[in-house]
């Protein structure tokens, strides 16, 4: 039937089993042990660059003194670099970042866009964002491209036309 075993014997038996299981086989000794090297680090296990994400923005044909090449580094907050509004630029990109989506992706090719022209301005954004490489081109060739550009203001210059005082009378 049942056998009565003292508690101290059970504990000693459990502790001895745990030591053997946890310790595992003895470590190799001798000449072979000195040459054992850890496995190489896989790309997905590498520590990300903690200095922040860096973007270089080149704007052409925007006018109003907005043309040029500017650098933005995010974080640390609020952002820094040669961009005239580095903090705002960082917030604009962060606002457009969604998990699993490329914030700099072009408008879908099969999208329905208005045929309005936003001017000759172009911009190219290169660098790294969220640990991923960025190489995006922006223009204002149609309504979808204009909307995409405007989402990234102030990373890109604000080219939306200011209202004219006579607009109400021109309609």
């Amino acid at each position: 039937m049942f056998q009565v075993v003292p508690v101290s014997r059970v504990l000693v038996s459990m502790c001895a089993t745990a030591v053997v299981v946890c310790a595992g086989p003895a470590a190799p000794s001798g000449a072979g042990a000195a040459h054992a090297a850890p496995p190489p680090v896989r790309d997905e296990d590498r520590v990300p660059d903690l200095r922040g994400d860096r973007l270089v923005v080149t704007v052409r044909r925007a006018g109003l003194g907005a043309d040029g090449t500017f650098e933005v580094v995010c974080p640390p907050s609020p952002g820094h670099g040669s961009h005239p509004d580095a903090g705002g630029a960082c917030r604009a990109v962060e606002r457009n970042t969604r998990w699993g989506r490329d914030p700099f992706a072009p408008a879908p090719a099969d999208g329905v866009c208005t045929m309005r022209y936003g001017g000759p301005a172009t911009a190219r954004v290169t660098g790294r964002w969220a640990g991923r490489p960025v190489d995006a081109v922006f223009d204002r060739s149609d309504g979808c491209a204009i909307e995409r550009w405007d989402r990234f203001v102030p990373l890109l210059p604000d080219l939306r036309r200011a209202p004219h005082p006579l607009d109400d009378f021109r309609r």
Side-chain angles (χ1 to χ4, degrees):
M1 292 210 50
F2 294 105
Q3 182 180 4
V4 177
V5 179
V7 174
S8 60
R9 182 191 257 175
V10 173
L11 290 176
V12 169
S13 175
M14 287 174 48
C15 289
T17 304
V19 169
V20 171
V21 171
C22 294
S29 61
H35 298 292
V41 176
R42 300 177 303 186
D43 286 339
E44 60 267 19
D45 292 334
R46 293 191 190 281
V47 175
D49 183 1
L50 298 177
R51 292 175 296 195
D53 296 308
R54 178 179 179 272
L55 299 173
V56 176
V57 182
T58 302
V59 179
R60 300 185 193 277
R61 297 190 307 262
L64 304 171
D67 292 1
T69 299
F70 310 99
E71 179 185 37
V72 178
V73 180
C74 315
S77 293
H80 62 279
S82 61
H83 192 283
D85 183 5
C90 291
R91 287 189 296 277
V93 179
E94 185 66 36
R95 182 176 61 237
N96 285 285
T97 301
R98 301 285 182 272
W99 180 257
R101 292 189 178 171
D102 178 6
F104 297 97
D110 60 347
V112 178
C113 305
T114 60
M115 299 294 291
R116 90 188 142 137
Y117 179 65
T122 62
R124 183 171 185 186
V125 179
T126 58
R128 293 190 76 73
W129 180 258
R132 296 183 163 228
V134 174
D135 189 356
V137 177
F138 292 81
D139 64 28
R140 298 177 63 81
S141 59
D142 62 27
C144 294
I146 293 168
E147 188 273 332
R148 180 175 172 244
W149 179 296
D150 289 347
R151 277 185 314 171
F152 283 94
V153 170
L155 176 69
L156 303 176
D158 189 353
L159 301 179
R160 294 173 279 203
R161 188 175 72 81
H164 189 277
L166 298 178
D167 279 348
D168 291 335
F169 297 108
R170 292 182 182 167
R171 290 184 203 180

